[in-house]
Amino acid sequence: MKKKILTVILTGTLCTAISAASVMAAEQNNLKGEVYTFIAASLSNAMDEIQKDFNEICPDVEIFYNADSSGTLQTQIEEGARCDIFFSAADKQMDALKEGGYAKEDTIEDILENKVVLIKPKDGETKVTGFENITEADNLALAGDSVPVGQYAREIFTNLGIMDEVNKMEINEGKNVSEVLAAVSEGSNEVGVVYATDAASVADKVEVIAEAPEEALKTPVYYPVGMIEDKEASEDDIAASEAFLEYIKSDDAMKVFEKYGFSAKN
């Protein structure tokens, strides 16, 4: 796994106050267990904070994060990696897991929305003023075509009629959005395509040149979350996973997502 966060276990505290249903369950059972949660890389900062908040309520639940591109995470799940919750940066990967019988359809819900933006290094020089003239840059940081933000970028370029010209550019292809963000923030590339939330997380290092034109990006940038069939999970693990999923959808968690630049899906 690319990333693991092991929660320190505290003992003797009852897990309460997540939702009406989970509170009732908590009154009967002291929630404990392990929750393997696969998250899109762009969610990392928000989910770190959400985990800490959740563990103040449920200290006996261990949360393990695996953060990477949604395409990579999908492949890992299909290949048998243990996962209880998948939080994707696009519907495409979640839909594939649902159709393949890996995701529990009745638990899946689009809960967040993001924007795709074009960035450059802070105070960096470029002739590029928007997606329309991106080919004026000497080089471009771009996520791979299995990565949601890379797929969104290619949809934009295709709809603008410049995909062939973009393919002729010097492209630094990142395996996830974090690598693209790092390439631009460190000045390795003149411009790059990331999510608005990623750009906001390093506002001291990058500048947003433009948001994706509405006429060029017709696919909504939604983030679905849902349960994955985990044959290794115990009853405690399943109960803990259900509670954590409910917390991710809660008003308290939404406030954290909004702090990091996400919007609640309307």
Side-chain angles (χ1 to χ4, degrees):
M1 289 187 180
K2 299 295 182 182
K3 178 181 178 184
K4 281 188 178 181
I5 301 175
L6 176 61
T7 303
V8 176
I9 301 178
L10 304 177
T11 59
T13 304
L14 189 66
C15 173
T16 57
I18 299 172
S19 67
S22 56
V23 167
M24 291 177 64
E27 289 174 350
Q28 301 176 13
N29 301 290
N30 187 3
L31 280 185
K32 57 185 178 181
E34 299 177 345
V35 182
Y36 290 81
T37 306
F38 284 26
I39 60 173
S42 52
L43 290 163
S44 295
N45 291 333
M47 288 297 284
D48 282 350
E49 185 169 335
I50 285 170
Q51 179 198 350
K52 293 174 183 177
D53 293 343
F54 177 79
N55 279 130
E56 289 183 2
I57 303 167
C58 300
D60 293 330
V61 175
E62 297 178 87
I63 309 295
F64 295 87
Y65 280 161
N66 180 15
D68 209 320
S69 76
S70 299
T72 296
L73 298 176
Q74 174 196 338
T75 299
Q76 290 175 354
I77 292 169
E78 291 171 338
E79 291 178 348
R82 184 175 177 186
C83 177
D84 298 295
I85 296 173
F86 180 42
F87 203 165
S88 176
D91 287 322
K92 178 180 179 180
Q93 288 73 23
M94 184 67 84
D95 289 345
L97 290 174
K98 179 179 65 177
E99 292 167 7
Y102 298 94
K104 300 179 181 180
E105 184 172 359
D106 59 347
T107 69
I108 299 170
E109 183 180 353
D110 288 324
I111 64 170
L112 299 178
E113 188 169 1
N114 208 340
K115 295 180 179 179
V116 176
V117 298
L118 181 63
I119 60 171
K120 68 182 184 68
K122 192 78 169 180
D123 302 321
E125 296 294 330
T126 184
K127 296 179 182 178
V128 176
T129 57
F131 284 86
E132 296 84 353
N133 70 332
I134 197 170
T135 54
E136 293 190 31
D138 289 334
N139 50 65
L140 165 67
L142 184 66
D145 57 12
S146 67
V147 184
V149 72
Q151 295 168 348
Y152 293 133
R154 287 167 176 79
E155 178 182 339
I156 294 166
F157 300 145
T158 298
N159 288 336
L160 290 175
I162 60 172
M163 191 70 250
D164 289 342
E165 288 76 12
V166 170
N167 283 331
K168 296 175 184 177
M169 296 178 66
E170 177 185 331
I171 297 176
N172 177 15
E173 189 169 283
K175 65 181 182 181
N176 56 45
V177 71
S178 298
E179 287 194 355
V180 175
L181 183 65
V184 179
S185 64
E186 294 167 0
S188 299
N189 290 106
E190 184 176 331
V191 296
V193 181
V194 299
Y195 295 115
T197 50
D198 297 300
S201 72
V202 289
D204 59 328
K205 295 181 179 180
V206 304
E207 294 180 17
V208 174
I209 298 173
E211 290 185 3
E214 289 186 9
E215 68 275 11
L217 181 57
K218 302 183 185 300
T219 303
V221 186
Y222 292 152
Y223 283 59
V225 64
M227 297 280 291
I228 299 297
E229 297 283 356
D230 181 1
K231 296 179 181 179
E232 298 179 49
S234 66
E235 290 184 5
D236 284 343
D237 297 336
I238 294 171
S241 299
E242 290 173 346
F244 188 48
L245 179 61
E246 286 304 308
Y247 187 79
I248 290 171
K249 298 177 182 180
S250 70
D251 290 342
D252 286 342
M254 195 56 61
K255 291 176 183 176
V256 175
F257 287 127
E258 290 173 348
K259 183 174 76 172
Y260 285 93
F262 293 96
S263 300
K265 191 248 181 185
N266 296 323

